[in-house]
Amino acid sequence: MGSSISEEAASSPSTAPDMHAQPTFNIASAESLLATFRSMLAYCPVILLPEDVTVRELARTRPFVLLAILAAAAGAKSLQGHNLYDEEFRKVFALKLVAGGERSLELLQGILIYCLWYPFHLRPKVKQVFQYTRMAADLIHDLELDVDTRAATDEPMTPERLDSIRAYIAQYYLSSWYVSSSLFHSDPSLAKKNLASFAVTWQVHRSAPVTFTSWTEHCCVLLTQHAETAGDAVLASLARLGHTVRDAWTAVRDNTGGGRDEANSSLVFRGLEAQFKDQQANLSPAVAETLPIKLQTLFTEFFLLGGSVLRMPTMKPPPPPATDPFRPTLARISACVVAVSQFLALLADLPAGELAHFSAGDWGRLVLSVVVAMRLSFPLAECPEFDSAWARRQLGFGRFLEVMTTTTQEVGADLLTSATAKRADVVSASRVVVAVVKEKYEKRLAVLQQQQEEQAQLELPRPKCPMLDGSLDSYFPYWDGSVGQAASMPPSLSFVDGIVQGDELLDAWGEDTLDWIGPGQDML
């Protein structure tokens, strides 16, 4: 699974490999990983990879891209295999970028592939993926791919220019989904150990180095118009939807309530909702039906509806409900529940092997959907009228967790304690994480149900003495002699030929009076 360079580096760590040397690989293993990556590429078509291209050809023409492909695909089969290629990739990248001062499209494509399929959701403390993302942004600037050249030149569209446009758009999409990934750590119950280190990294990364401009939109249009594969239009749509999500999160995150911030944030949010509807309307049927776009569209929908529930912890107090334009209303939260349920159902129905092809952005959306579903499954302090029992029925969250952990229940412990861990891949490791979430969900649900039962017992009306609560008021006139015997008796008694039998009257009195005596009480 590893390369020969990895073995040499491990045996002689003090010897730096030649930066111009081309790594050699086990061809059979590399061909298998290349075939796996072709399926993965559908989730973020960052490069054009012809069907007839081979490992030998890539090793000759684009060796760094090949190394990135092998590192990305290795995780789908084995996390340890990913670690081997990961170490090799970082060594070569450092030599090329730092020691060699290289600034090339191939270097940019390689670092994008590495970051787009890095299993960040399993390694939240590893900060290098943030650093590499910023390096990719620096390469975008150095190569001037973000410079608007429409007025200066009218160059023809060439395969090389399309490669540059793909890389530019993919880098923007990469930076946009880190916003989604960060939200996983906004839940203190899920991130007590990781939040501190992650928050520092996020604060550094929060000012996105690549922004979505009119030039970015123009490049999306060019990529769609001159698409060489169906994936080009998918990539353009992913970037546009990612732009909507990132701007929505920025508005939610930065709103402090009151004054100009409130008015601006509310206006921005309404504009983003209109923008999202326009994006949906402009999706071609072929693009809209692809799985990556379905996932991104549903994610964008429920993010816009329920994003206010996902504010990261802050030292500042939350804005007052009356001045908060993002305060969750019952209508918006109910619509969010429906969108999340559709998202979870789509994930639950995927073939088992499909998750292995997910990009880091898709894993980020899956993780965030779990966080949102967990929160919507229980009462919301921000929306007291919200019916969490109805939400649980709609979400089907329990079924989703069951499906996601079906194979984990038997081998989950082995993944952590035995040699089975050596064969763990991204999917099996992720299932172990979901199994922990499932356990927490079931425990929390049990506590909630117990609390509701106890509250229901407390709210039951306390029985009162029938002599005092008015139940026998109609009898008093007969008992005290103030009404003649010929008058009508209360209709609640049983009559036989108009005469109440003595035993029956006694039984009726016994039922009415003794019913209020609770268990364990006596008449004294």
Side-chain angles (χ1 to χ4, degrees):
M1 183 68 74
S3 69
S4 61
I5 286 185
S6 296
E7 297 170 357
E8 294 172 6
S11 61
S12 56
S14 61
T15 303
D18 181 1
M19 72 182 68
H20 300 293
Q22 294 184 354
T24 57
F25 304 95
N26 180 307
I27 295 299
S29 173
E31 289 288 0
S32 175
L33 291 175
L34 179 60
T36 298
F37 184 74
R38 292 185 191 279
S39 299
M40 298 166 64
L41 196 59
Y43 286 89
C44 185
V46 58
I47 62 171
L48 182 65
L49 192 64
E51 290 293 331
D52 57 349
V53 72
T54 63
V55 168
R56 295 184 185 277
E57 183 179 351
L58 285 174
R60 184 179 66 256
T61 59
R62 292 187 288 173
F64 188 66
V65 168
L66 174 61
L67 183 57
I69 289 174
L70 298 179
K77 295 188 175 182
S78 167
L79 287 177
Q80 286 201 351
H82 176 269
N83 291 339
L84 293 175
Y85 283 111
D86 180 81
E87 180 182 359
E88 183 65 47
F89 177 88
R90 287 186 283 110
K91 288 180 180 178
V92 175
F93 178 64
L95 287 170
K96 283 179 170 289
L97 185 67
V98 179
E102 180 177 332
R103 300 292 187 273
S104 66
L105 180 60
E106 181 190 352
L107 192 68
L108 175 60
Q109 289 174 327
I111 194 64
L112 287 174
I113 292 170
Y114 176 86
C115 292
L116 283 165
W117 278 276
Y118 186 84
F120 171 75
H121 65 292
L122 297 176
R123 299 167 180 170
K125 291 185 178 181
V126 177
K127 300 179 182 180
Q128 70 187 36
V129 69
F130 287 101
Q131 298 166 352
Y132 286 179
T133 300
R134 297 188 68 87
M135 291 178 184
D138 291 338
L139 284 171
I140 290 287
H141 298 318
D142 293 342
L143 297 173
E144 298 184 345
L145 300 184
D146 57 343
V147 176
D148 192 339
T149 60
R150 286 174 289 183
T153 179
D154 190 18
E155 58 181 308
M157 186 59 65
T158 62
E160 293 75 18
R161 188 183 175 198
L162 269 180
D163 285 340
S164 298
I165 291 175
R166 287 190 194 95
Y168 171 55
I169 295 175
Q171 202 288 326
Y172 177 82
Y173 171 64
L174 171 66
S175 66
S176 71
W177 68 252
Y178 268 112
V179 175
S180 305
S181 299
S182 71
L183 293 176
F184 170 66
H185 302 272
S186 66
D187 189 340
S189 66
L190 299 177
K192 290 180 180 179
K193 296 182 179 179
N194 300 333
L195 183 58
S197 62
F198 183 88
V200 174
T201 306
W202 172 244
Q203 290 300 321
V204 174
H205 184 75
R206 63 180 293 177
S207 55
V210 175
T211 58
F212 195 97
T213 64
S214 61
W215 172 244
T216 314
E217 174 59 29
H218 180 67
C219 288
C220 289
V221 173
L222 288 177
L223 188 60
T224 304
Q225 290 177 345
H226 300 275
E228 295 185 335
T229 67
D232 287 338
V234 170
L235 178 60
S237 298
L238 287 174
R240 286 176 173 132
L241 292 167
H243 165 50
T244 300
V245 172
R246 187 168 74 175
D247 283 359
W249 172 241
T250 301
V252 172
R253 180 198 66 195
D254 294 343
N255 174 61
T256 57
R260 184 177 301 175
D261 287 342
E262 174 193 343
N264 290 343
S265 297
S266 182
L267 184 62
V268 166
F269 215 74
R270 287 196 295 269
L272 290 174
E273 290 180 324
Q275 176 177 291
F276 174 56
K277 292 179 180 178
D278 184 62
Q279 289 169 344
Q280 285 182 296
N282 290 327
L283 286 174
S284 68
V287 172
E289 288 302 313
T290 61
L291 182 57
I293 296 300
K294 282 184 178 180
L295 292 171
Q296 177 73 313
T297 301
L298 284 171
F299 171 79
T300 305
E301 181 178 356
F302 77 69
F303 192 95
L304 289 172
L305 290 168
S308 57
V309 183
L310 302 168
R311 282 192 176 97
M312 289 186 69
T314 175
M315 297 300 293
K316 299 179 181 179
T323 63
D324 186 2
F326 306 114
R327 181 176 181 268
T329 64
L330 181 59
R332 294 184 67 85
I333 292 298
S334 299
C336 180
V337 167
V338 175
V340 174
S341 68
Q342 294 173 350
F343 187 88
L344 296 179
L346 184 58
L347 289 174
D349 291 338
L350 291 179
E354 197 65 30
L355 293 175
H357 304 150
F358 272 18
S359 70
D362 298 300
W363 281 113
R365 285 184 281 276
L366 185 152
V367 169
L368 184 56
S369 71
V370 170
V371 175
V372 174
M374 176 73 86
R375 293 187 179 183
L376 294 178
S377 295
F378 299 94
L380 296 175
E382 303 90 341
C383 188
E385 64 271 28
F386 175 66
D387 186 353
S388 60
W390 169 84
R392 287 193 295 274
R393 293 192 298 270
Q394 293 293 319
L395 287 170
F397 189 42
R399 171 185 173 272
F400 170 78
L401 295 175
E402 189 70 31
V403 170
M404 289 294 293
T405 58
T406 299
T407 59
T408 309
Q409 294 172 352
E410 299 177 357
V411 301
D414 293 338
L415 288 174
L416 303 176
T417 61
S418 73
T420 311
K422 296 181 179 180
R423 299 192 300 271
D425 55 22
V426 171
V427 176
S428 59
S430 300
R431 291 185 188 277
V432 173
V433 177
V434 177
V436 175
V437 175
K438 179 175 179 288
E439 181 180 357
K440 291 178 178 294
Y441 169 77
E442 292 173 346
K443 288 182 178 179
R444 187 174 175 184
L445 182 59
V447 170
L448 175 65
Q449 292 173 341
Q450 181 179 359
Q451 291 175 343
Q452 291 176 338
E453 291 176 0
E454 293 174 353
Q455 184 65 28
Q457 290 296 326
L458 292 175
E459 293 177 356
L460 287 176
R462 184 177 180 179
K464 298 180 180 179
C465 175
M467 300 297 292
L468 304 176
D469 67 2
S471 301
L472 298 173
D473 286 354
S474 59
Y475 294 94
F476 292 156
Y478 299 94
W479 294 343
D480 62 16
S482 60
V483 177
Q485 294 296 323
S488 300
M489 295 293 288
S492 59
L493 296 178
S494 298
F495 289 86
V496 178
D497 295 330
I499 301 174
V500 181
Q501 304 297 323
D503 291 341
E504 293 177 6
L505 180 60
L506 205 57
D507 291 342
W509 183 88
E511 287 183 17
D512 285 338
T513 55
L514 299 181
D515 184 60
W516 63 278
I517 301 176
Q521 296 178 309
D522 52 36
M523 294 293 292
L524 299 179

